[in-house]
Amino acid sequence: MRIPKRLMLVAGVAALSARRALKAPYDLGGKVALISGGSRGLGLALARELVARGAQVALLARDGAELERAAQDIRERGGEAYTVVADVTQPADLTRAVEETVAHFGRLDIVVNNAGIIQTGPLENMTDEDFMRIMEVNAFGALRLTRAALPQLKKNAGRVLIVSSVGGKVAVPHLGPYSVSKFASYGLGQALRAELAQHGVGVTTVLPSLMRTGSARQAEVKGQYEKEYALFATLDNLPVLSLDAAVAARRAVDALVRGNAQAMIGGPALLLGWASNLAPELTADLMALTTRFLPAATASDAARPGKQVETEATRNNPIKGQAEREFNQN
C-alpha cells in the first residue's frame, strides 16, 4: 500500500517535533562564550546571565576601559572574564579575538553576536553612508565573527546567538537604517541555522523589543536632536513598553539553551510580530500614520550622540539613570 505524500510529510514534521521536545537542553556549565558588544548594555547583561549558569566569558568591544569595568563586574559576581579590544568591522581583529579566547580558556563553544549601533531620526536625514555603516556592524559584523569562530564551533558542537530586534520584523519609523540592518541580521540567523545544523552547530536569533539597557545615550541622533532624543530615550525607559535588560538576557539565554530557531522577546515584540504576520497591510498603515506625529527632518544630516543632546527631562529620568549606571553606560 502506498503511503500518501502528505501523510509522510506530516509524520516527518511530527518526528522532528518529538525529537526536539525530547532533546536535552544545552548545558552551559564549563562552556566558553565570546560576546561582541560585551562591555555594556545587553551584552553585559548576557555575560552576567551566562556566567550565572556556569559559563566563562570573553568580552569583545572597542573601548578598553569599558571592557575592564565590565570584566571587573563579572569577577565580582564570581565569574571569569577575559577582554579583547576589537572592532567587528575588521576581520583581522575577529580572527585575533577568537585566537586569544581559545589561548586563554582552551576552547570556544558559544558566539554571541550582540555588537550594534543605532541611529534615530527622519529618513530624509539618513545618508547612504549611514545605511552602509550600520550594515557593516549590525549584520556583517555578526557574519564575520561567526565565520572566524566556525572551526571551534564545529569542533565543540557549539552555539551561535544573534541579537536582532523586533525592528527586524517590523520597520520602525525614524529607525530606517537600524531596521534594514536588523532585517538582515534576522535573515543571517535563519541562513546560518539551516547551513550549520549539519555540522552540529545550533543558531538562535532573538528579536527583543525596547529594553532598559541605558544605551539610548549611545545612539546617533539626527534631525531635531533634542526632540528625537527625548522621544527615543523616554520610550526606551518606559516600564510597560520596555523590558528590564536582565529579564531580556535571561529569556535570550533560555532560547539559546532550548535551541530555538528564533524568539521574540518582550510583549511589544510579540504583538508587533503577530500583527505583521496576521495583518501586514494594517501594520504598515499604522507605521505610516505614526510617522506623521514624529519630528520633521532638518536641513542638516549631521549626527550627534545622544549623550550630547540630553535635555533636563531625559537627564533627570531616574529609570534611565539607573539603567545607565547598572549597565556601564556612563
Side-chain angles (χ1 to χ4, degrees), residues 152-190:
Q152 289 293 320
L153 296 175
K154 288 180 179 179
K155 176 183 175 181
N156 298 322
R159 294 290 185 271
V160 177
L161 180 66
I162 293 180
V163 179
S164 184
S165 166
V166 64
K169 283 279 195 175
V170 179
V172 180
H174 284 217
L175 293 174
Y178 179 79
S179 291
V180 169
S181 72
K182 290 302 185 178
F183 267 79
S185 69
Y186 171 70
L188 173 65
Q190 301 308 296

Side-chain angles (χ1 to χ4, degrees), residues 28 35 38-57 59 69-81 212-213 244-246 249-250 253 322-329:
L28 293 172
I35 307 172
S39 64
R40 64 184 186 222
L42 180 61
L44 179 54
L46 287 166
R48 291 170 178 168
E49 184 66 26
L50 287 164
V51 164
R53 301 194 194 196
Q56 299 167 309
V57 294
L59 308 177
R69 289 197 300 270
Q72 184 60 30
D73 176 280
I74 296 299
R75 292 167 190 144
E76 288 174 356
R77 295 167 187 268
E80 184 175 354
R212 298 190 294 279
T213 63
D244 179 83
R250 184 176 70 246
V253 175
Q322 180 183 345
E324 290 169 353
R325 291 187 296 274
E326 184 177 356
F327 296 105
N328 198 23
Q329 300 285 3

